[in-house]
């Protein structure tokens, strides 16, 4: 057995708590697969007294000191937001640590800086959980389909809004009640504005478009419209037309014309989907993503896109 792989965890909320649990519960299997024990070196949090279930000796409020520690090999970031996450991850990368992050907002705003820093330092940067939670999606796009030409990626990538729209359609629940339940279940962001106004899905669309089309798309490039203005009457009207309303993220190649080169379109908006379409039956906090590629044809990825354990 090799020397342990030591992990620093930044953040111990809904997802971080489950990362700790999985590292502990799966310790024996992880050691066997990795060829070395995977150990927690420390956990950076803002308020240690709020984490009574975690081994207290691991907790620290000094995230910068934790990522700089010589005995840390990998930094896992589940804090979210642009700063201080970006600075901490860049510090970690420059210090030779590999980084795993679920931070879609940061990746969608400045993923290129992280990727360039990781390349320069010769370390790994992984972010599978940043889009569609538990669904293995980014690695298939980047690696499994590397020999294909992806033309379109479209789907439901925000669990909170899908939960809200499903609840409104199934029970006639009001928007506010459905949002409160999504928050209670740990799907919604601390500030649900990012979910209901489509920014969370727009960040994910930017990450998907960047990987699928080998280009740089940021959240600011994505047309974004949320679900705040979708009413019970809209949902009933859609049903009358044989449709469901879903918040879709759509990324596609746009053929060039008149001498202009091919471009990429990425957009998020509530769309009417025929009930017979597989995306129409994706309910609750589940995510589903359709990928269309020249050789592979249509692929669909489906699973839990939010929540502590699936994201962990
Ligand atoms: N708030 C996000 C969602 C969490 O509801 O999908 C997962 O990114």
């Amino acid at each position: 057995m090799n020397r342990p792989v030591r992990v620093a965890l930044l953040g111990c909320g809904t997802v971080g708590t489950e990362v700790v649990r999985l590292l502990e519960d799966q310790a024996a299997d992880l050691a066997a697969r990795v060829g070395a024990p995977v150990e927690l070196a420390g956990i950076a949090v803002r308020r240690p007294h709020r984490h009574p279930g975690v081994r207290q000796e691991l907790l620290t409020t000094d995230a910068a000191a934790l990522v700089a520690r010589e005995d840390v090999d990998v930094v896992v970031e589940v804090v979210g937001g642009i700063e201080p996450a970006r600075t901490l991850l860049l510090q970690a990368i420059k210090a030779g640590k590999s980084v795993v992050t679920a931070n879609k907002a940061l990746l969608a705003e400045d993923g290129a800086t992280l990727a360039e820093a990781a390349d320069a330092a010769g370390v790994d940067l992984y972010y599978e959980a940043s889009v569609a939670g538990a669904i293995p999606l980014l690695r298939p796009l980047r690696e499994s389909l590397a020999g294909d030409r992806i033309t379109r990626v479209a789907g439901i990538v925000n669990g909170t809004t899908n939960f809200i729209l499903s609840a409104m359609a199934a029970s006639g629940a009001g928007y506010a009640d459905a949002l409160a339940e999504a928050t209670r279940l740990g799907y919604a962001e601390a500030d649900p504005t990012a979910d209901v106004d489509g920014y969370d899905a727009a960040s994910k669309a930017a990450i998907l478009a960047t990987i699928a089309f080998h280009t740089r798309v940021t959240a600011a490039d994505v047309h974004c419209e949320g679900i705040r203005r979708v009413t019970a009457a809209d949902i009933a009207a859609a049903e009358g037309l044989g449709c469901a309303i879903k918040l879709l993220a759509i990324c596609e190649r746009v053929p060039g014309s008149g001498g202009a080169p091919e471009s990429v379109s990425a957009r998020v908006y509530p769309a009417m989907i025929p009930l017979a379409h597989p995306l129409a039956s994706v309910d609750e906090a589940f995510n589903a993503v359709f990928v269309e590629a020249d050789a592979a044809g249509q692929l669909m990825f489906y699973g839990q896109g939010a929540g502590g354990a699936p994201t962990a």
Side-chain angles (χ1 to χ4, degrees):
M1 195 60 90
N2 296 315
R3 75 168 182 84
V5 175
R6 306 264 294 161
V7 177
L9 179 63
L10 308 183
C12 199
T14 306
V15 177
T17 307
E18 290 295 320
V19 172
V20 174
R21 184 183 65 78
L22 284 176
L23 282 174
E24 287 172 354
D25 288 0
Q26 308 286 342
D29 283 347
L30 276 171
R33 287 179 216 142
V34 172
V38 180
E39 293 177 356
L40 263 175
I43 307 171
V45 295
R46 267 185 299 185
R47 290 176 284 264
H49 65 276
R50 291 213 179 162
H51 304 274
V54 176
R55 280 187 286 145
Q56 295 296 297
E57 71 275 16
L58 291 176
L59 295 174
T60 175
T61 55
D62 192 343
L66 177 60
V67 302
R69 260 171 51 184
E70 286 205 350
D71 64 331
V72 167
D73 303 296
V74 177
V75 173
V76 175
E77 184 263 321
V78 288
V79 178
I82 306 299
E83 289 294 350
R86 172 169 47 198
T87 300
L88 290 168
L89 293 185
L90 287 172
Q91 277 171 357
I93 289 168
K94 283 175 187 153
K97 330 280 186 195
S98 286
V99 162
V100 179
T101 174
N103 191 332
K104 57 240 157 172
L106 174 56
L107 290 160
E109 180 165 309
D110 203 11
T113 300
L114 292 178
E116 283 160 13
D119 273 353
V123 300
D124 289 323
L125 168 67
Y126 284 116
Y127 45 95
E128 182 64 66
S130 66
V131 181
I135 306 173
L137 176 62
L138 302 189
R139 193 187 288 259
L141 287 178
R142 187 198 302 280
E143 295 180 21
S144 315
L145 295 170
D148 207 344
R149 181 175 179 273
I150 298 169
T151 51
R152 195 164 187 261
V153 180
I156 296 164
V157 293
N158 182 267
T160 302
T161 47
N162 204 51
F163 184 93
I164 292 170
L165 292 172
S166 308
M168 289 172 73
S171 67
Y175 170 83
D177 287 347
L179 171 59
E181 181 68 353
T183 304
R184 192 185 66 76
L185 291 170
Y187 302 140
E189 300 299 307
D191 175 1
T193 304
D195 293 305
V196 299
D197 289 336
Y199 304 130
D200 176 87
S203 292
K204 292 166 178 168
I207 295 168
L208 289 171
T210 297
I211 294 175
F213 307 132
H214 313 285
T215 185
R216 278 188 191 165
V217 178
T218 68
D221 299 321
V222 181
H223 167 85
C224 178
E225 189 185 329
I227 66 161
R228 249 184 233 272
R229 290 185 299 161
V230 176
T231 63
D234 291 331
I235 290 175
E239 274 174 12
L241 294 168
C243 292
I245 295 181
K246 297 290 185 188
L247 185 72
L248 294 189
I250 301 173
C251 312
E252 56 194 358
R253 292 182 192 268
V254 180
S257 70
E262 179 186 87
S263 63
V264 163
S265 162
R267 50 199 197 272
V268 168
Y269 54 89
M272 294 215 295
I273 306 175
L275 290 172
H277 192 284
L279 285 178
S281 51
V282 175
D283 284 332
E284 301 186 351
F286 281 86
N287 284 189
V289 178
F290 260 92
V291 176
E292 293 173 21
D294 283 348
Q298 291 188 324
L299 306 166
M300 182 163 162
F301 297 79
Y302 171 83
Q304 297 203 65
T311 309

